[in-house]
Amino acid sequence: AEDPLVIFTPSGKRGRVPAGTPVLAAARRLGVDLDSVCGGRGICSKCQVSPGRGDFPKFGVTVAPGALSAWNEVEARYDRIRGLKEGRRLGCQAQILSDVVIDVPPESQVHRQVVRKSASAREIVMDPATKLYFVTVPEPDMHEPSGDLERLAAALKEAWGIERLTAPLPVLSRLQPVLRKGKWEVTVALHKGHRDEAHRLIDLWPGFHEGRLYGLAIDLGSTTIAAHLTDLRNGTVKASAGVMNPQIRFGEDLMSRVSYAMMNEGGAAEMTAAVRDAISRLAAEIATEVGIEARDIVEAVFVCNPVMHHLLLGIDPVELGQAPFALATSESLSLDAAELGLTGLSDAARVFVLPCIAGHVGADAAAVALSEEPGKSEDLVLVVDVGTNAEILLGDRDGVLACSSPTGPAFEGAQISSGQRAAPGAIERVEIDPQTKEPRFRVIGCELWSDEAGFAEQAGTVTGICGSGIIEAVAEMRMAGLLDAKGLIGSAEQTGTDRCEAEGRTHAYLIHDGTEAGGPRITVTQGDIRAIQLAKSALYAGARLLMDERGVDAVGRVVLAGAFGAHISPKHAMVLGMIPDVPLDKVTSAGNAAGTGARIALCSVAARARIEAEVRRIHKVETAIEPRFQEHFVAANAIPHATAPFANLRA
Ligand code: FES
């Protein structure tokens, strides 16, 4: 008779296997994603499947009773001790006897994880560098003497096809007691990066260990450090937390930190120690938050700008402060967490740092490229990550260009008279009535607009205006005719509103007088407008420079990345001329794309290899030495622009 036919759902993969083949083995043979941690020992239950019954006209198959073997001792014992869900079988134990349709439930296909991306959710294939393996190790034998590590390596080769094993000392020192405690059964966490030849023993537990295997995706910014604690078995984010970057006390922005390193003996080392300490503490806090030990964290992936990158690694960043802005290395790095002085994590925890694109365009931009994949885009996409520096990528399947542009901190509310960081009490949205010239606004932490009943009670004190608030305010002022194309605020007579107050020889527009909800008077001054004009001109000029380089006048779509990008309204960005003119529905927000890129790299070794290759292909454009940058910058000073038509704004 013919071999039995097996059809797996939902994949639809099918094939014939010899009668008596275990379901797990059939899945392996047909390339069906069915999990297994214990290697088919009936211990982990990761291989659970739901066999179908009766007619499957769709497949032309009838599943007879007894298509799978009856429960064996292993499966029965598993059910007795741990309980198997109704209708479920252990794929490693149940054998295929006749034609059968087998459903693989989502929990058993943990190699898939949905990572949120800008426009759509995207599936990434779970392929973390660190995985768990269960194995039985032969006991030592007087007649054939060999070390425990060598016998473990041989057992791993036999059961899992692992070719080479190395063991760092802190883990090797625990090997003998763990093997004996587990009666020669052991679960090991092995790490293999995309460039490694050997698997590295990261951790081990006696017997079968259900696995606590966590990684951190860390977005190391100059202002904040954000970490996402991720379960490496399935990619879910267990918790996210952030702290201020303690290097702020050495300098608010990147260049002031580079100068601190230049001017002070040992200054770079001080900043390195501060950031490493903060990361170690953040790891401990986030672990406590979800009730695990920081020791269960076996891996961390970092994305950061070049200055943060060097300071994290303990490399003096002085070269990044002066032309030609040479990086110590632009390659990705795979290191021991201990080498980085990170404490509290698993003894042999590993660190992966994404590659940098150029001296001004860091691993954070590489992470954005990994998340947004401009190099795979059909239409020409401009990806802008706005922070104190804007990192800009322009590309499609024909190639990707990158630059960074010195926007300064105005977009984050710094250098603005009433500016502040995004925090409760900060004005984040502004509307100005074009007829009455009266403003209304919303503050962070309150759902009401300022002209709605109950606002004052709910909002509490209005403390200042944050980055998105100032952008909306300036754009609304322009649309309401309070501001001319050059960026000059009109007088009360010119604009017809007393809110335009004289301030020295210029004017300021009053947004909040402080009487109703308390707090300071909040105005937009001529100086604020200038600061925003400088920032937006730098951003626009960077984008234009890349467009020149590519030989185009327009882009197909724009993606705004970064925490800030998530809060800017595309319309207001366009009114200001921050970004090139495109139809408004072609402007989307990607949220924290750098953080998403870090998570992807944490969950997938293949993605690490991919971004490394991609970064080598990206063409870097240096804004600082490009004379056209200056021309574009000057032309972009007007609102929205001196010459570009911005036809989509009129529409
Ligand atoms: Fe572990 Fe089946 S593979 S129980």
Side-chain angles (χ1 to χ4, degrees), residues 24 35-47 90-92:
L24 179 62
D35 198 18
S36 155
V37 171
C38 73
R41 305 282 309 275
I43 297 173
C44 72
S45 83
K46 301 286 182 204
C47 60
L90 292 182
C92 61

Side-chain angles (χ1 to χ4, degrees), residues 131-135 152 156 186-190 201 203-205:
K131 296 185 195 125
L132 292 177
Y133 301 85
F134 172 80
V135 75
L152 171 64
L156 283 168
V186 65
T187 304
V188 292
L190 301 184
L201 187 58
D203 209 343
L204 72 173
W205 302 266

